Amino acid sequence: MREKDTQYVLDWIAIQELVAEYGQAIDFGKDTGDWSRWANVFTPQLTADYSRFMGGEPIHITREQAAEYGRVAVSAFSRVQHATATTIRIHFKNQTQAQVMAYAEVAHYFTLGGVQQEWTIVARYTHDVVKTAEGWRIEKVLLDPVHYRGNPLGLEFVQGKRLA
């Protein structure tokens, strides 16, 4: 366990901000088309494990590919909103590595037949983070769904289905 000195507190705050930025940067990317903020939360190479959510296997990609992956995943929605828990659990492995668990509620909005729809996922994120020259960055992300609510078509949209 790390000594809880000033550097510990600074790292803890930086990781808290990184986890909040993960979700807010997706929302920003959807709203503006600028996905550079989301790419910036990651290390240059990362493992994205959305297998519990999307099926398949974890993927090893660049941060730029992650930004494109996020853009495509939310492209069918008019808006998205990530509400990440303000209390997260950080387990420091050493001075430059930690594992973070955070819960999030992510609302996805779309229109169907002129009627506003919502699909929401409640999930636990596990992030393996490392301290780099750029600051703390996510090296691996695991998304573990806990609950879904709303129009289930939203899940199909995330998985790539589109209406004709």
Side-chain angles (χ1 to χ4, degrees), residues 97-116:
Q97 295 179 315
Q99 187 170 73
V100 184
M101 292 181 73
Y103 289 90
E105 187 168 297
V106 185
H108 302 74
Y109 302 99
F110 58 100
T111 302
L112 189 60
V115 178
Q116 175 82 23

Side-chain angles (χ1 to χ4, degrees), residues 28-153:
F28 180 81
K30 176 63 184 166
D31 290 348
T32 67
D34 178 0
W35 287 89
S36 61
R37 272 182 60 184
W38 202 52
N40 195 46
V41 303
F42 299 111
T43 56
Q45 301 286 323
L46 67 131
T47 300
D49 187 349
Y50 298 111
S51 60
R52 296 177 185 179
F53 175 54
M54 305 277 288
E57 297 294 324
I59 55 176
H60 306 283
I61 54 178
T62 67
R63 65 173 77 172
E64 293 77 18
Q65 289 170 317
E68 178 61 12
Y69 187 89
R71 184 192 68 75
V72 170
V74 299
S75 65
F77 303 103
S78 56
R79 300 291 300 268
V80 292
Q81 180 183 10
H82 285 70
T84 305
T86 55
T87 303
I88 63 172
R89 182 68 182 134
I90 301 170
H91 169 70
F92 285 99
K93 295 178 181 182
N94 55 46
Q95 301 294 327
T96 61
Q97 295 179 315
Q99 187 170 73
V100 184
M101 292 181 73
Y103 289 90
E105 187 168 297
V106 185
H108 302 74
Y109 302 99
F110 58 100
T111 302
L112 189 60
V115 178
Q116 175 82 23
Q117 304 287 314
E118 177 183 343
W119 172 74
T120 298
I121 178 174
V122 178
R124 180 179 62 225
Y125 284 99
T126 303
H127 300 290
D128 290 346
V129 298
V130 296
K131 192 172 192 177
T132 71
E134 299 174 301
W136 286 94
R137 295 294 184 264
I138 298 169
E139 185 174 58
K140 180 180 180 184
V141 57
L142 168 66
L143 172 61
D144 189 10
V146 174
H147 177 73
Y148 304 110
R149 67 175 175 269
N151 188 328
L153 188 57

